[in-house]
Amino acid sequence: MNDRLPTHLLASALVRRVNQAGGSAMILAKGHAEAGAILVLTLDRGVDPRFFERGMGQSGTVQLIASGPDSFADSHAVTDYWQRRRRSDPDLWVIEVDVAEAERFVAETIVQG
């Protein structure tokens, strides 16, 4: 038996938590409801885009892992990145999160969840 929560619940929980904290969160693309991976685009007041996803760390435990380029030329490059990832994995969920301490919100929700 798998103890992992379905992806759609993790995605909904993340959006709800961020919105309740006064931030903004939205699902940009829905993937497989039960087992899709989650790619999260974090922003700080609309700038400094960074991507994170849930994955196995070197210690063999589930961790939040930085993903994608360190910097982007413009907003089109950000969109191009996640759309490229989605083309290669149609089960991938993409969630945009804009809140103070976004990385913490993401880790507490999709890694602990």
Side-chain angles (χ1 to χ4, degrees):
M1 175 160 182
N2 187 352
D3 291 336
R4 184 174 166 186
L5 288 174
T7 304
H8 71 96
L9 291 179
L10 292 173
S12 295
L14 178 58
V15 169
R16 187 172 43 257
R17 285 190 69 223
V18 169
N19 288 333
Q20 287 174 345
S24 171
M26 67 183 89
I27 296 173
L28 301 177
K30 290 183 179 182
H32 190 279
E34 298 297 317
I38 300 175
L39 178 67
V40 181
L41 166 60
T42 63
L43 300 163
D44 184 7
R45 290 181 284 276
V47 296
D48 192 23
R50 297 176 63 206
F51 284 98
F52 295 94
E53 54 192 307
R54 178 181 171 153
M56 284 296 193
Q58 291 181 342
S59 64
T61 60
V62 176
Q63 297 177 346
L64 192 62
I65 299 173
S67 178
D70 290 333
S71 63
F72 294 90
D74 56 31
S75 63
H76 296 292
V78 173
T79 303
D80 289 344
Y81 174 75
W82 71 259
Q83 287 180 343
R84 222 176 17 258
R85 288 282 310 270
R86 215 43 204 131
R87 280 192 296 274
S88 67
D89 181 4
D91 291 334
L92 181 70
W93 288 69
V94 182
I95 305 171
E96 179 180 302
V97 172
D98 192 344
V99 65
E101 300 182 49
E103 189 175 346
R104 177 182 61 85
F105 273 91
V106 175
E108 289 175 355
T109 308
I110 70 169
V111 173
Q112 306 298 327

